[in-house]
Amino acid sequence: MGMLQAGIIPVTPFQQNCTILFDPDTREGVVVDPGGDIDVILQTVKENGITLKEIWLTHGHIDHAGGAQDLKDALGVTIVGPHEDDLPLLQGLEKQAAMFNVPMKVRNVMPDRWLKDGDKVSFGDHEFEVYHCPGHAPGHVIYFNRAQNFAHLGDVLFNGSIGRTDLPGGNHQQLLASIRDRVLPLGDDVGFICGHGPGGRIGEERRNNPFLRGI
Ligand SMILES: [Zn+2]
Ligand SMILES: [Zn+2]
């Protein structure tokens, strides 16, 4: 088993960070949030000789989950997450596509396994703790690999910003509580990838992110 590695493929008109987490020795991995552009994702994993074992979702927005069903059909793997509170979003993905008027192929998704706070997911020897972080979306989860101090935060916390809360099911106070009670306690040294833009380090956000003042 090697060190956990991550590769980012920006997908959809929303430039969402579809993330491949993989082991460089076994070449096995998972894909987090295949929002769309499935051909690009499949091509990238093929070129890098990576075998995808599962699809993990952080939440049910179109740019994160819109391509999950097609990718599942192409690979024959299971879809894991998010929390069941995102069922209405995942069953309404085709409606979201119409609402945002986006030129991309989107299908509704039914995960094979729902996640809840405290669950664990893994591939190979790489284990991730799951935390339920509602606020941006009701069923949003994040994935934390304690062994390597790494987290995938989806659209909860960004480098210098936080997830929007004006979409259906969004709640600003709930998002701040999720960041305060679930994300910041992971530790200042934890490096993260998020759903949009560059990643960062939790301590840096705790100190300098203007949206976290006074929480
Ligand atoms: Zn989102
Ligand atoms: Zn997003």
Side-chain angles (χ1 to χ4, degrees):
M1 279 292 160
M3 293 285 284
L4 177 69
Q5 289 194 7
I8 289 175
I9 309 166
V11 295
T12 78
F14 301 93
Q15 289 294 288
Q16 195 272 127
N17 290 333
C18 173
T19 306
I20 311 289
L21 301 174
F22 67 101
D23 185 298
D25 292 346
T26 65
R27 308 307 288 177
E28 289 184 346
V30 295
V31 55
V32 183
D33 288 354
D37 297 324
I38 294 309
D39 293 349
V40 181
I41 298 171
L42 288 171
Q43 183 67 24
T44 304
V45 296
K46 190 176 164 200
E47 278 171 4
N48 289 280
I50 294 167
T51 304
L52 292 177
K53 308 301 282 186
E54 286 183 331
I55 296 166
W56 296 355
L57 299 180
T58 62
H59 66 295
H61 285 155
I62 183 174
D63 50 329
H64 297 255
Q69 190 63 48
D70 275 351
L71 191 61
K72 172 182 172 163
D73 290 350
L75 295 170
V77 299
T78 53
I79 299 176
V80 177
H83 185 282
E84 196 168 10
D85 286 354
D86 267 7
L87 175 62
L89 285 175
L90 292 167
Q91 289 296 299
L93 284 169
E94 289 156 25
K95 242 188 316 185
Q96 286 183 50
M99 187 169 100
F100 287 106
N101 198 18
V102 284
M104 54 187 271
K105 186 168 172 278
V106 167
R107 285 168 68 197
N108 292 343
V109 176
M110 179 57 76
D112 298 284
R113 178 188 168 193
W114 295 114
L115 296 174
K116 55 187 188 326
D117 203 64
D119 276 350
K120 293 203 164 77
V121 295
S122 63
F123 67 92
D125 278 352
H126 301 286
E127 188 177 74
F128 289 72
E129 299 166 21
V130 174
Y131 295 96
H132 183 205
C133 293
H136 171 72
H140 200 303
V141 298
I142 61 169
Y143 299 95
F144 175 49
N145 183 274
R146 193 173 289 274
Q148 293 184 43
N149 251 354
F150 165 80
H152 198 303
L153 301 179
D155 285 358
V156 172
L157 177 66
F158 299 126
N159 186 324
S161 186
I162 59 174
R164 60 191 284 190
T165 50
D166 58 334
L167 297 169
N171 182 315
H172 186 71
Q173 287 311 316
Q174 202 177 34
L175 178 64
L176 291 180
S178 289
I179 294 170
R180 184 191 62 217
D181 300 337
R182 291 285 182 273
V183 178
L184 298 185
L186 299 181
D188 280 358
D189 293 338
V190 171
F192 68 84
I193 285 173
C194 48
H196 303 267
R201 207 157 285 281
I202 285 178
E204 184 67 19
E205 300 310 311
R206 189 177 59 74
R207 284 186 292 272
N208 298 322
N209 189 317
F211 294 90
L212 304 189
R213 283 210 188 106
I215 71 166

